[in-house]
Amino acid sequence: MPWILFFLNSLNKQVKRLMIKIEKEQMLLQTLPETSLMIIEHIKAHGRVTLSEMVTFTGINRNTLKKHFQKLVSMKQISQHGKGRGVWYSIT
């Protein structure tokens, strides 16, 4: 009996943590610009993305996309891998 109570309490704590995390993510997504949301959704769908892929996919100016990528990296929503022409991004 004590083991079941421990397990159920642990499970309950994990559910509460997950709900808080989901609420925070939803609030963040509501405040992001549409372009940033497109970047995040594209990365989630494909696992990783490059700046060139996003320019082709969205048709948005390269410099505009760079700013969105930089902001998302600084907010720790996405991670940058590599430098220069070989850089790619993934979800943090």
Side-chain angles (χ1 to χ4, degrees):
M1 189 71 161
W3 168 247
I4 293 174
L5 289 176
F6 169 76
F7 177 75
L8 291 176
N9 285 333
S10 298
L11 187 61
N12 190 28
K13 287 178 185 177
Q14 291 295 342
V15 168
K16 287 179 182 179
R17 287 181 187 157
L18 181 60
M19 294 302 290
I20 291 170
K21 188 174 181 179
I22 289 171
E23 287 175 12
K24 286 181 181 179
E25 185 174 331
Q26 287 175 344
M27 284 190 291
L28 175 71
L29 292 178
Q30 290 174 355
T31 62
L32 287 176
E34 185 67 29
T35 303
S36 294
L37 290 175
M38 285 192 320
I39 291 169
I40 290 173
E41 291 302 318
H42 195 75
I43 294 173
K44 284 181 180 178
H46 300 295
R48 62 187 267 178
V49 70
T50 64
L51 183 60
S52 298
E53 289 173 8
M54 285 307 296
V55 169
T56 303
F57 177 71
T58 62
I60 296 173
N61 181 290
R62 183 176 190 85
N63 292 327
T64 302
L65 284 173
K66 274 186 185 180
K67 298 246 186 246
H68 284 276
F69 275 106
Q70 289 170 351
K71 183 170 182 174
L72 289 170
V73 168
S74 70
M75 294 171 62
K76 297 187 180 177
Q77 293 300 307
I78 62 174
S79 298
Q80 178 179 334
H81 305 275
K83 296 278 184 190
R85 298 185 84 178
V87 70
W88 55 277
Y89 301 88
S90 66
I91 297 292
T92 301

